[in-house]
PDB file of all heavy atoms in Angstrom:
ATOM      1  N   LEU R1142       9.710  18.887  27.444  1.00  0.00           N
ATOM      2  CA  LEU R1142      10.621  18.629  26.343  1.00  0.00           C
ATOM      3  C   LEU R1142      11.968  19.319  26.515  1.00  0.00           C
ATOM      4  O   LEU R1142      12.915  19.012  25.825  1.00  0.00           O
ATOM      5  CB  LEU R1142       9.983  19.099  25.024  1.00  0.00           C
ATOM      6  CG  LEU R1142       8.747  18.303  24.575  1.00  0.00           C
ATOM      7  CD1 LEU R1142       8.139  18.946  23.348  1.00  0.00           C
ATOM      8  CD2 LEU R1142       9.118  16.851  24.293  1.00  0.00           C
ATOM      9  N   VAL R1281      12.650  35.887  45.786  1.00  0.00           N
ATOM     10  CA  VAL R1281      11.715  36.789  46.455  1.00  0.00           C
ATOM     11  C   VAL R1281      10.308  36.336  46.104  1.00  0.00           C
ATOM     12  O   VAL R1281       9.953  36.218  44.924  1.00  0.00           O
ATOM     13  CB  VAL R1281      11.926  38.248  46.019  1.00  0.00           C
ATOM     14  CG1 VAL R1281      10.928  39.153  46.738  1.00  0.00           C
ATOM     15  CG2 VAL R1281      13.350  38.698  46.295  1.00  0.00           C
ATOM     16  N   THR R1294      14.520  31.993  54.259  1.00  0.00           N
ATOM     17  CA  THR R1294      15.884  31.581  54.593  1.00  0.00           C
ATOM     18  C   THR R1294      16.785  32.798  54.372  1.00  0.00           C
ATOM     19  O   THR R1294      16.305  33.898  54.084  1.00  0.00           O
ATOM     20  CB  THR R1294      16.376  30.431  53.691  1.00  0.00           C
ATOM     21  OG1 THR R1294      16.518  30.923  52.354  1.00  0.00           O
ATOM     22  CG2 THR R1294      15.412  29.261  53.699  1.00  0.00           C
ATOM     23  N   VAL R2032     -44.553  65.427  34.702  1.00  0.00           N
ATOM     24  CA  VAL R2032     -43.627  66.497  35.048  1.00  0.00           C
ATOM     25  C   VAL R2032     -44.155  67.239  36.265  1.00  0.00           C
ATOM     26  O   VAL R2032     -45.294  67.723  36.268  1.00  0.00           O
ATOM     27  CB  VAL R2032     -43.456  67.486  33.871  1.00  0.00           C
ATOM     28  CG1 VAL R2032     -42.454  68.575  34.230  1.00  0.00           C
ATOM     29  CG2 VAL R2032     -43.017  66.749  32.614  1.00  0.00           C
TER      30      VAL R2032
END
Side-chain angles (χ1 to χ4, degrees):
L1142 293 174
V1281 180
T1294 67
V2032 182

